[in-house]
Amino acid sequence: MTTLAHFLDGLRCEMCRALNLLWLDPVRGVVECRNCHQTALVAVDETTGEAR
């Protein structure tokens, strides 16, 4: 089975400080820490297409 989530290499969770445990789920529009399960919403600028 394949997943749509993408591993975010080299980034650290702001809550638990775990390194290399963040995953981006573009379908749900969230980043999740696999250590502490903290989530953050990803906002995209509709004019430029860049994340804010």
Side-chain angles (χ1 to χ4, degrees):
M1 181 172 120
T2 60
T3 179
L4 293 177
H6 301 282
F7 172 66
L8 299 177
D9 190 29
L11 297 178
R12 187 178 299 275
C13 175
E14 186 63 29
M15 297 302 290
C16 70
R17 307 302 294 161
L19 182 62
N20 295 332
L21 290 175
L22 295 178
W23 291 82
L24 169 64
D25 184 341
V27 174
R28 292 179 18 213
V30 297
V31 173
E32 179 182 352
C33 175
R34 297 296 170 126
N35 187 51
C36 70
H37 304 289
Q38 181 68 32
T39 59
L41 294 176
V42 178
V44 177
D45 186 335
E46 293 179 11
T47 59
T48 64
E50 295 182 8
R52 311 187 247 171

mmCIF file of all heavy atoms in Angstrom:
data_model
loop_
_atom_site.group_PDB
_atom_site.id
_atom_site.type_symbol
_atom_site.label_atom_id
_atom_site.label_comp_id
_atom_site.label_asym_id
_atom_site.label_seq_id
_atom_site.Cartn_x
_atom_site.Cartn_y
_atom_site.Cartn_z
ATOM 1 N N MET A 1 0.841 -1.187 0.000
ATOM 2 C CA MET A 1 0.000 0.000 0.000
ATOM 3 C C MET A 1 0.884 1.247 0.000
ATOM 4 O O MET A 1 1.848 1.322 0.735
ATOM 5 C CB MET A 1 -0.889 -0.020 1.237
ATOM 6 C CG MET A 1 -1.819 1.150 1.323
ATOM 7 S SD MET A 1 -2.988 0.914 2.674
ATOM 8 C CE MET A 1 -2.595 2.338 3.641
ATOM 9 N N THR A 2 0.548 2.222 -0.812
ATOM 10 C CA THR A 2 1.302 3.469 -0.855
ATOM 11 C C THR A 2 0.541 4.541 -0.095
ATOM 12 O O THR A 2 -0.686 4.517 0.001
ATOM 13 C CB THR A 2 1.531 3.930 -2.300
ATOM 14 O OG1 THR A 2 0.282 4.124 -2.922
ATOM 15 C CG2 THR A 2 2.353 2.921 -3.067
ATOM 16 N N THR A 3 1.278 5.482 0.425
ATOM 17 C CA THR A 3 0.663 6.559 1.187
ATOM 18 C C THR A 3 0.852 7.874 0.440
ATOM 19 O O THR A 3 1.822 8.039 -0.296
ATOM 20 C CB THR A 3 1.262 6.646 2.601
ATOM 21 O OG1 THR A 3 0.636 7.722 3.288
ATOM 22 C CG2 THR A 3 2.757 6.869 2.581
ATOM 23 N N LEU A 4 -0.046 8.797 0.632
ATOM 24 C CA LEU A 4 0.067 10.108 0.014
ATOM 25 C C LEU A 4 0.856 11.079 0.885
ATOM 26 O O LEU A 4 1.181 12.164 0.437
ATOM 27 C CB LEU A 4 -1.326 10.675 -0.272
ATOM 28 C CG LEU A 4 -2.124 9.931 -1.328
ATOM 29 C CD1 LEU A 4 -3.509 10.551 -1.454
ATOM 30 C CD2 LEU A 4 -1.422 9.946 -2.665
ATOM 31 N N ALA A 5 1.171 10.682 2.119
ATOM 32 C CA ALA A 5 1.940 11.542 3.011
ATOM 33 C C ALA A 5 3.405 11.545 2.587
ATOM 34 O O ALA A 5 3.929 10.546 2.114
ATOM 35 C CB ALA A 5 1.807 11.068 4.449
ATOM 36 N N HIS A 6 4.057 12.678 2.761
ATOM 37 C CA HIS A 6 5.458 12.831 2.381
ATOM 38 C C HIS A 6 6.296 13.129 3.618
ATOM 39 O O HIS A 6 5.972 14.023 4.394
ATOM 40 C CB HIS A 6 5.619 13.971 1.378
ATOM 41 C CG HIS A 6 4.837 13.767 0.135
ATOM 42 N ND1 HIS A 6 5.241 12.920 -0.864
ATOM 43 C CD2 HIS A 6 3.653 14.281 -0.270
ATOM 44 C CE1 HIS A 6 4.354 12.942 -1.840
ATOM 45 N NE2 HIS A 6 3.375 13.748 -1.499
ATOM 46 N N PHE A 7 7.380 12.387 3.783
ATOM 47 C CA PHE A 7 8.322 12.576 4.879
ATOM 48 C C PHE A 7 9.067 13.893 4.666
ATOM 49 O O PHE A 7 9.538 14.166 3.564
ATOM 50 C CB PHE A 7 9.293 11.391 4.894
ATOM 51 C CG PHE A 7 10.425 11.532 5.846
ATOM 52 C CD1 PHE A 7 10.203 11.558 7.210
ATOM 53 C CD2 PHE A 7 11.724 11.624 5.381
ATOM 54 C CE1 PHE A 7 11.249 11.671 8.091
ATOM 55 C CE2 PHE A 7 12.773 11.739 6.256
ATOM 56 C CZ PHE A 7 12.540 11.759 7.613
ATOM 57 N N LEU A 8 9.174 14.717 5.707
ATOM 58 C CA LEU A 8 9.874 15.996 5.622
ATOM 59 C C LEU A 8 11.237 15.850 6.291
ATOM 60 O O LEU A 8 11.374 15.950 7.513
ATOM 61 C CB LEU A 8 9.050 17.098 6.290
ATOM 62 C CG LEU A 8 7.677 17.333 5.670
ATOM 63 C CD1 LEU A 8 6.913 18.381 6.452
ATOM 64 C CD2 LEU A 8 7.801 17.739 4.213
ATOM 65 N N ASP A 9 12.246 15.587 5.495
ATOM 66 C CA ASP A 9 13.600 15.319 5.985
ATOM 67 C C ASP A 9 14.288 16.588 6.475
ATOM 68 O O ASP A 9 14.192 17.634 5.841
ATOM 69 C CB ASP A 9 14.418 14.689 4.861
ATOM 70 C CG ASP A 9 15.751 14.156 5.328
ATOM 71 O OD1 ASP A 9 15.858 13.760 6.501
ATOM 72 O OD2 ASP A 9 16.697 14.127 4.517
ATOM 73 N N GLY A 10 14.955 16.496 7.616
ATOM 74 C CA GLY A 10 15.756 17.596 8.129
ATOM 75 C C GLY A 10 14.990 18.624 8.943
ATOM 76 O O GLY A 10 15.568 19.626 9.346
ATOM 77 N N LEU A 11 13.708 18.390 9.189
ATOM 78 C CA LEU A 11 12.912 19.345 9.966
ATOM 79 C C LEU A 11 12.638 18.804 11.363
ATOM 80 O O LEU A 11 12.553 17.597 11.573
ATOM 81 C CB LEU A 11 11.598 19.658 9.258
ATOM 82 C CG LEU A 11 11.738 20.333 7.902
ATOM 83 C CD1 LEU A 11 10.371 20.540 7.292
ATOM 84 C CD2 LEU A 11 12.480 21.637 8.014
ATOM 85 N N ARG A 12 12.494 19.716 12.310
ATOM 86 C CA ARG A 12 12.282 19.361 13.707
ATOM 87 C C ARG A 12 10.909 19.825 14.159
ATOM 88 O O ARG A 12 10.464 20.908 13.815
ATOM 89 C CB ARG A 12 13.366 20.031 14.555
ATOM 90 C CG ARG A 12 13.407 19.646 15.989
ATOM 91 C CD ARG A 12 14.554 20.321 16.726
ATOM 92 N NE ARG A 12 15.861 19.988 16.205
ATOM 93 C CZ ARG A 12 16.559 18.911 16.544
ATOM 94 N NH1 ARG A 12 16.059 18.056 17.408
ATOM 95 N NH2 ARG A 12 17.746 18.697 16.033
ATOM 96 N N CYS A 13 10.217 19.001 14.951
ATOM 97 C CA CYS A 13 8.929 19.363 15.523
ATOM 98 C C CYS A 13 9.133 20.469 16.552
ATOM 99 O O CYS A 13 10.004 20.372 17.415
ATOM 100 C CB CYS A 13 8.284 18.134 16.178
ATOM 101 S SG CYS A 13 6.733 18.506 17.038
ATOM 102 N N GLU A 14 8.353 21.509 16.452
ATOM 103 C CA GLU A 14 8.468 22.639 17.385
ATOM 104 C C GLU A 14 7.994 22.269 18.789
ATOM 105 O O GLU A 14 8.473 22.826 19.770
ATOM 106 C CB GLU A 14 7.663 23.831 16.856
ATOM 107 C CG GLU A 14 7.829 25.089 17.664
ATOM 108 C CD GLU A 14 9.250 25.640 17.669
ATOM 109 O OE1 GLU A 14 9.990 25.435 16.693
ATOM 110 O OE2 GLU A 14 9.622 26.282 18.669
ATOM 111 N N MET A 15 7.083 21.317 18.898
ATOM 112 C CA MET A 15 6.536 20.944 20.208
ATOM 113 C C MET A 15 7.463 20.012 20.987
ATOM 114 O O MET A 15 7.788 20.273 22.132
ATOM 115 C CB MET A 15 5.160 20.294 20.051
ATOM 116 C CG MET A 15 4.122 21.214 19.456
ATOM 117 S SD MET A 15 3.851 22.720 20.385
ATOM 118 C CE MET A 15 3.044 22.064 21.814
ATOM 119 N N CYS A 16 7.879 18.899 20.358
ATOM 120 C CA CYS A 16 8.670 17.897 21.088
ATOM 121 C C CYS A 16 10.140 17.888 20.681
ATOM 122 O O CYS A 16 10.933 17.155 21.268
ATOM 123 C CB CYS A 16 8.067 16.506 20.909
ATOM 124 S SG CYS A 16 8.248 15.830 19.239
ATOM 125 N N ARG A 17 10.499 18.698 19.692
ATOM 126 C CA ARG A 17 11.870 18.847 19.195
ATOM 127 C C ARG A 17 12.424 17.600 18.509
ATOM 128 O O ARG A 17 13.618 17.485 18.282
ATOM 129 C CB ARG A 17 12.816 19.308 20.304
ATOM 130 C CG ARG A 17 12.368 20.557 21.049
ATOM 131 C CD ARG A 17 12.165 21.769 20.184
ATOM 132 N NE ARG A 17 13.422 22.212 19.606
ATOM 133 C CZ ARG A 17 13.517 22.999 18.540
ATOM 134 N NH1 ARG A 17 12.426 23.430 17.953
ATOM 135 N NH2 ARG A 17 14.668 23.348 18.063
ATOM 136 N N ALA A 18 11.569 16.625 18.173
ATOM 137 C CA ALA A 18 12.015 15.413 17.483
ATOM 138 C C ALA A 18 12.453 15.773 16.059
ATOM 139 O O ALA A 18 11.791 16.539 15.371
ATOM 140 C CB ALA A 18 10.907 14.383 17.442
ATOM 141 N N LEU A 19 13.559 15.198 15.626
ATOM 142 C CA LEU A 19 14.105 15.457 14.304
ATOM 143 C C LEU A 19 13.692 14.357 13.331
ATOM 144 O O LEU A 19 13.683 13.176 13.689
ATOM 145 C CB LEU A 19 15.635 15.524 14.382
ATOM 146 C CG LEU A 19 16.384 15.836 13.097
ATOM 147 C CD1 LEU A 19 16.009 17.218 12.577
ATOM 148 C CD2 LEU A 19 17.881 15.747 13.333
ATOM 149 N N ASN A 20 13.328 14.748 12.117
ATOM 150 C CA ASN A 20 12.989 13.816 11.032
ATOM 151 C C ASN A 20 11.762 12.954 11.319
ATOM 152 O O ASN A 20 11.713 11.801 10.899
ATOM 153 C CB ASN A 20 14.182 12.929 10.684
ATOM 154 C CG ASN A 20 15.333 13.716 10.123
ATOM 155 O OD1 ASN A 20 15.147 14.762 9.516
ATOM 156 N ND2 ASN A 20 16.536 13.229 10.331
ATOM 157 N N LEU A 21 10.778 13.492 12.022
ATOM 158 C CA LEU A 21 9.552 12.747 12.276
ATOM 159 C C LEU A 21 8.307 13.486 11.795
ATOM 160 O O LEU A 21 7.197 13.158 12.186
ATOM 161 C CB LEU A 21 9.413 12.422 13.771
ATOM 162 C CG LEU A 21 10.400 11.390 14.292
ATOM 163 C CD1 LEU A 21 10.253 11.229 15.807
ATOM 164 C CD2 LEU A 21 10.195 10.049 13.619
ATOM 165 N N LEU A 22 8.483 14.478 10.923
ATOM 166 C CA LEU A 22 7.351 15.241 10.401
ATOM 167 C C LEU A 22 6.919 14.689 9.046
ATOM 168 O O LEU A 22 7.745 14.326 8.211
ATOM 169 C CB LEU A 22 7.718 16.714 10.241
ATOM 170 C CG LEU A 22 8.031 17.457 11.528
ATOM 171 C CD1 LEU A 22 8.425 18.890 11.208
ATOM 172 C CD2 LEU A 22 6.875 17.411 12.490
ATOM 173 N N TRP A 23 5.607 14.620 8.861
ATOM 174 C CA TRP A 23 5.012 14.124 7.628
ATOM 175 C C TRP A 23 4.010 15.138 7.113
ATOM 176 O O TRP A 23 3.221 15.670 7.874
ATOM 177 C CB TRP A 23 4.291 12.807 7.886
ATOM 178 C CG TRP A 23 5.233 11.700 8.194
ATOM 179 C CD1 TRP A 23 5.794 11.436 9.403
ATOM 180 C CD2 TRP A 23 5.735 10.723 7.308
ATOM 181 N NE1 TRP A 23 6.611 10.348 9.327
ATOM 182 C CE2 TRP A 23 6.596 9.885 8.039
ATOM 183 C CE3 TRP A 23 5.541 10.456 5.967
ATOM 184 C CZ2 TRP A 23 7.261 8.811 7.456
ATOM 185 C CZ3 TRP A 23 6.198 9.387 5.402
ATOM 186 C CH2 TRP A 23 7.042 8.587 6.150
ATOM 187 N N LEU A 24 4.049 15.395 5.815
ATOM 188 C CA LEU A 24 3.101 16.287 5.158
ATOM 189 C C LEU A 24 2.039 15.440 4.475
ATOM 190 O O LEU A 24 2.352 14.537 3.711
ATOM 191 C CB LEU A 24 3.817 17.135 4.106
ATOM 192 C CG LEU A 24 2.918 17.924 3.156
ATOM 193 C CD1 LEU A 24 2.119 18.969 3.904
ATOM 194 C CD2 LEU A 24 3.734 18.530 2.041
ATOM 195 N N ASP A 25 0.794 15.746 4.780
ATOM 196 C CA ASP A 25 -0.333 15.099 4.101
ATOM 197 C C ASP A 25 -1.027 16.175 3.272
ATOM 198 O O ASP A 25 -1.824 16.956 3.793
ATOM 199 C CB ASP A 25 -1.298 14.506 5.120
ATOM 200 C CG ASP A 25 -2.433 13.732 4.480
ATOM 201 O OD1 ASP A 25 -2.689 13.934 3.272
ATOM 202 O OD2 ASP A 25 -3.075 12.938 5.181
ATOM 203 N N PRO A 26 -0.694 16.266 1.970
ATOM 204 C CA PRO A 26 -1.254 17.344 1.145
ATOM 205 C C PRO A 26 -2.760 17.221 0.912
ATOM 206 O O PRO A 26 -3.424 18.217 0.673
ATOM 207 C CB PRO A 26 -0.482 17.227 -0.174
ATOM 208 C CG PRO A 26 0.019 15.832 -0.212
ATOM 209 C CD PRO A 26 0.212 15.409 1.219
ATOM 210 N N VAL A 27 -3.309 16.031 0.999
ATOM 211 C CA VAL A 27 -4.745 15.846 0.803
ATOM 212 C C VAL A 27 -5.517 16.492 1.951
ATOM 213 O O VAL A 27 -6.501 17.200 1.740
ATOM 214 C CB VAL A 27 -5.100 14.355 0.668
ATOM 215 C CG1 VAL A 27 -6.600 14.151 0.623
ATOM 216 C CG2 VAL A 27 -4.439 13.765 -0.560
ATOM 217 N N ARG A 28 -5.061 16.261 3.184
ATOM 218 C CA ARG A 28 -5.700 16.850 4.363
ATOM 219 C C ARG A 28 -5.208 18.263 4.638
ATOM 220 O O ARG A 28 -5.822 19.006 5.398
ATOM 221 C CB ARG A 28 -5.439 15.976 5.589
ATOM 222 C CG ARG A 28 -6.128 14.649 5.536
ATOM 223 C CD ARG A 28 -5.863 13.750 6.725
ATOM 224 N NE ARG A 28 -5.348 14.403 7.893
ATOM 225 C CZ ARG A 28 -4.497 13.840 8.746
ATOM 226 N NH1 ARG A 28 -4.082 12.619 8.559
ATOM 227 N NH2 ARG A 28 -4.077 14.500 9.795
ATOM 228 N N GLY A 29 -4.061 18.647 4.068
ATOM 229 C CA GLY A 29 -3.500 19.979 4.282
ATOM 230 C C GLY A 29 -2.900 20.146 5.658
ATOM 231 O O GLY A 29 -3.006 21.215 6.253
ATOM 232 N N VAL A 30 -2.251 19.087 6.184
ATOM 233 C CA VAL A 30 -1.654 19.156 7.513
ATOM 234 C C VAL A 30 -0.242 18.558 7.511
ATOM 235 O O VAL A 30 0.108 17.738 6.675
ATOM 236 C CB VAL A 30 -2.492 18.402 8.581
ATOM 237 C CG1 VAL A 30 -3.840 19.015 8.755
ATOM 238 C CG2 VAL A 30 -2.598 16.941 8.260
ATOM 239 N N VAL A 31 0.537 19.015 8.473
ATOM 240 C CA VAL A 31 1.825 18.406 8.803
ATOM 241 C C VAL A 31 1.649 17.769 10.170
ATOM 242 O O VAL A 31 1.088 18.389 11.074
ATOM 243 C CB VAL A 31 2.950 19.461 8.836
ATOM 244 C CG1 VAL A 31 4.243 18.855 9.344
ATOM 245 C CG2 VAL A 31 3.139 20.067 7.461
ATOM 246 N N GLU A 32 2.108 16.532 10.320
ATOM 247 C CA GLU A 32 1.937 15.815 11.587
ATOM 248 C C GLU A 32 3.274 15.284 12.076
ATOM 249 O O GLU A 32 4.076 14.783 11.289
ATOM 250 C CB GLU A 32 0.985 14.641 11.404
ATOM 251 C CG GLU A 32 0.790 13.837 12.668
ATOM 252 C CD GLU A 32 -0.115 12.632 12.481
ATOM 253 O OE1 GLU A 32 -0.712 12.490 11.400
ATOM 254 O OE2 GLU A 32 -0.215 11.839 13.414
ATOM 255 N N CYS A 33 3.496 15.382 13.389
ATOM 256 C CA CYS A 33 4.670 14.796 14.022
ATOM 257 C C CYS A 33 4.319 13.365 14.423
ATOM 258 O O CYS A 33 3.345 13.143 15.130
ATOM 259 C CB CYS A 33 5.075 15.595 15.253
ATOM 260 S SG CYS A 33 6.449 14.848 16.167
ATOM 261 N N ARG A 34 5.116 12.413 13.987
ATOM 262 C CA ARG A 34 4.860 11.012 14.312
ATOM 263 C C ARG A 34 5.292 10.656 15.728
ATOM 264 O O ARG A 34 4.981 9.587 16.216
ATOM 265 C CB ARG A 34 5.580 10.098 13.305
ATOM 266 C CG ARG A 34 5.073 10.262 11.892
ATOM 267 C CD ARG A 34 3.618 9.827 11.804
ATOM 268 N NE ARG A 34 3.031 10.190 10.531
ATOM 269 C CZ ARG A 34 2.427 9.350 9.737
ATOM 270 N NH1 ARG A 34 2.325 8.098 10.053
ATOM 271 N NH2 ARG A 34 1.926 9.773 8.609
ATOM 272 N N ASN A 35 5.960 11.569 16.416
ATOM 273 C CA ASN A 35 6.377 11.323 17.786
ATOM 274 C C ASN A 35 5.311 11.779 18.786
ATOM 275 O O ASN A 35 4.852 10.998 19.606
ATOM 276 C CB ASN A 35 7.707 12.030 18.066
ATOM 277 C CG ASN A 35 8.277 11.689 19.419
ATOM 278 O OD1 ASN A 35 8.406 10.531 19.766
ATOM 279 N ND2 ASN A 35 8.613 12.708 20.176
ATOM 280 N N CYS A 36 4.905 13.050 18.708
ATOM 281 C CA CYS A 36 3.953 13.599 19.679
ATOM 282 C C CYS A 36 2.550 13.773 19.094
ATOM 283 O O CYS A 36 1.635 14.165 19.795
ATOM 284 C CB CYS A 36 4.461 14.926 20.224
ATOM 285 S SG CYS A 36 4.460 16.291 19.041
ATOM 286 N N HIS A 37 2.388 13.531 17.798
ATOM 287 C CA HIS A 37 1.102 13.609 17.084
ATOM 288 C C HIS A 37 0.533 15.024 17.010
ATOM 289 O O HIS A 37 -0.656 15.195 16.753
ATOM 290 C CB HIS A 37 0.078 12.646 17.672
ATOM 291 C CG HIS A 37 0.575 11.230 17.691
ATOM 292 N ND1 HIS A 37 0.726 10.494 16.552
ATOM 293 C CD2 HIS A 37 0.996 10.455 18.714
ATOM 294 C CE1 HIS A 37 1.196 9.299 16.877
ATOM 295 N NE2 HIS A 37 1.374 9.252 18.173
ATOM 296 N N GLN A 38 1.376 16.015 17.222
ATOM 297 C CA GLN A 38 0.960 17.405 17.034
ATOM 298 C C GLN A 38 0.722 17.636 15.545
ATOM 299 O O GLN A 38 1.459 17.120 14.704
ATOM 300 C CB GLN A 38 2.041 18.356 17.537
ATOM 301 C CG GLN A 38 1.697 19.818 17.410
ATOM 302 C CD GLN A 38 0.576 20.238 18.332
ATOM 303 O OE1 GLN A 38 0.421 19.709 19.414
ATOM 304 N NE2 GLN A 38 -0.208 21.194 17.896
ATOM 305 N N THR A 39 -0.318 18.391 15.196
ATOM 306 C CA THR A 39 -0.590 18.694 13.790
ATOM 307 C C THR A 39 -0.594 20.196 13.570
ATOM 308 O O THR A 39 -0.844 20.976 14.494
ATOM 309 C CB THR A 39 -1.946 18.119 13.336
ATOM 310 O OG1 THR A 39 -2.977 18.670 14.144
ATOM 311 C CG2 THR A 39 -1.967 16.612 13.418
ATOM 312 N N ALA A 40 -0.305 20.597 12.349
ATOM 313 C CA ALA A 40 -0.353 21.995 11.951
ATOM 314 C C ALA A 40 -0.999 22.069 10.585
ATOM 315 O O ALA A 40 -0.725 21.245 9.708
ATOM 316 C CB ALA A 40 1.054 22.587 11.897
ATOM 317 N N LEU A 41 -1.876 23.036 10.400
ATOM 318 C CA LEU A 41 -2.522 23.242 9.103
ATOM 319 C C LEU A 41 -1.555 23.928 8.153
ATOM 320 O O LEU A 41 -0.743 24.757 8.565
ATOM 321 C CB LEU A 41 -3.768 24.106 9.255
ATOM 322 C CG LEU A 41 -4.907 23.491 10.052
ATOM 323 C CD1 LEU A 41 -6.033 24.496 10.196
ATOM 324 C CD2 LEU A 41 -5.408 22.223 9.396
ATOM 325 N N VAL A 42 -1.643 23.586 6.884
ATOM 326 C CA VAL A 42 -0.822 24.206 5.852
ATOM 327 C C VAL A 42 -1.721 25.140 5.068
ATOM 328 O O VAL A 42 -2.707 24.707 4.468
ATOM 329 C CB VAL A 42 -0.206 23.150 4.918
ATOM 330 C CG1 VAL A 42 0.599 23.820 3.824
ATOM 331 C CG2 VAL A 42 0.646 22.176 5.702
ATOM 332 N N ALA A 43 -1.402 26.429 5.080
ATOM 333 C CA ALA A 43 -2.165 27.417 4.326
ATOM 334 C C ALA A 43 -1.413 27.735 3.038
ATOM 335 O O ALA A 43 -0.199 27.926 3.057
ATOM 336 C CB ALA A 43 -2.348 28.687 5.151
ATOM 337 N N VAL A 44 -2.120 27.782 1.926
ATOM 338 C CA VAL A 44 -1.509 28.059 0.632
ATOM 339 C C VAL A 44 -2.068 29.365 0.081
ATOM 340 O O VAL A 44 -3.281 29.580 0.074
ATOM 341 C CB VAL A 44 -1.782 26.900 -0.353
ATOM 342 C CG1 VAL A 44 -1.211 27.215 -1.719
ATOM 343 C CG2 VAL A 44 -1.213 25.615 0.186
ATOM 344 N N ASP A 45 -1.161 30.221 -0.368
ATOM 345 C CA ASP A 45 -1.554 31.479 -0.989
ATOM 346 C C ASP A 45 -2.112 31.165 -2.378
ATOM 347 O O ASP A 45 -1.411 30.616 -3.230
ATOM 348 C CB ASP A 45 -0.341 32.393 -1.102
ATOM 349 C CG ASP A 45 -0.692 33.770 -1.610
ATOM 350 O OD1 ASP A 45 -1.718 33.922 -2.314
ATOM 351 O OD2 ASP A 45 0.052 34.713 -1.303
ATOM 352 N N GLU A 46 -3.363 31.499 -2.610
ATOM 353 C CA GLU A 46 -4.025 31.142 -3.871
ATOM 354 C C GLU A 46 -3.458 31.890 -5.072
ATOM 355 O O GLU A 46 -3.550 31.406 -6.197
ATOM 356 C CB GLU A 46 -5.522 31.397 -3.756
ATOM 357 C CG GLU A 46 -6.201 30.474 -2.777
ATOM 358 C CD GLU A 46 -7.694 30.746 -2.658
ATOM 359 O OE1 GLU A 46 -8.231 31.503 -3.473
ATOM 360 O OE2 GLU A 46 -8.300 30.175 -1.739
ATOM 361 N N THR A 47 -2.839 33.049 -4.867
ATOM 362 C CA THR A 47 -2.301 33.804 -5.994
ATOM 363 C C THR A 47 -0.932 33.293 -6.437
ATOM 364 O O THR A 47 -0.621 33.297 -7.614
ATOM 365 C CB THR A 47 -2.204 35.300 -5.660
ATOM 366 O OG1 THR A 47 -1.350 35.469 -4.522
ATOM 367 C CG2 THR A 47 -3.568 35.883 -5.382
ATOM 368 N N THR A 48 -0.104 32.839 -5.482
ATOM 369 C CA THR A 48 1.251 32.377 -5.833
ATOM 370 C C THR A 48 1.397 30.862 -5.742
ATOM 371 O O THR A 48 2.329 30.302 -6.300
ATOM 372 C CB THR A 48 2.297 33.015 -4.913
ATOM 373 O OG1 THR A 48 2.075 32.568 -3.580
ATOM 374 C CG2 THR A 48 2.263 34.514 -4.994
ATOM 375 N N GLY A 49 0.523 30.195 -4.999
ATOM 376 C CA GLY A 49 0.629 28.754 -4.820
ATOM 377 C C GLY A 49 1.642 28.332 -3.780
ATOM 378 O O GLY A 49 1.925 27.158 -3.628
ATOM 379 N N GLU A 50 2.215 29.283 -3.037
ATOM 380 C CA GLU A 50 3.218 28.980 -2.027
ATOM 381 C C GLU A 50 2.577 28.813 -0.658
ATOM 382 O O GLU A 50 1.592 29.467 -0.331
ATOM 383 C CB GLU A 50 4.255 30.092 -1.974
ATOM 384 C CG GLU A 50 5.074 30.217 -3.240
ATOM 385 C CD GLU A 50 6.117 31.298 -3.150
ATOM 386 O OE1 GLU A 50 6.312 31.862 -2.060
ATOM 387 O OE2 GLU A 50 6.753 31.581 -4.169
ATOM 388 N N ALA A 51 3.184 27.944 0.146
ATOM 389 C CA ALA A 51 2.718 27.743 1.520
ATOM 390 C C ALA A 51 3.089 28.961 2.359
ATOM 391 O O ALA A 51 4.116 29.586 2.165
ATOM 392 C CB ALA A 51 3.330 26.496 2.111
ATOM 393 N N ARG A 52 2.204 29.278 3.335
ATOM 394 C CA ARG A 52 2.485 30.406 4.240
ATOM 395 C C ARG A 52 2.607 29.885 5.641
ATOM 396 O O ARG A 52 2.088 28.912 6.021
ATOM 397 C CB ARG A 52 1.379 31.419 4.252
ATOM 398 C CG ARG A 52 0.885 31.871 2.957
ATOM 399 C CD ARG A 52 -0.074 32.983 3.123
ATOM 400 N NE ARG A 52 -1.404 32.528 2.701
ATOM 401 C CZ ARG A 52 -2.481 33.214 2.884
ATOM 402 N NH1 ARG A 52 -2.428 34.344 3.498
ATOM 403 N NH2 ARG A 52 -3.621 32.785 2.465
#
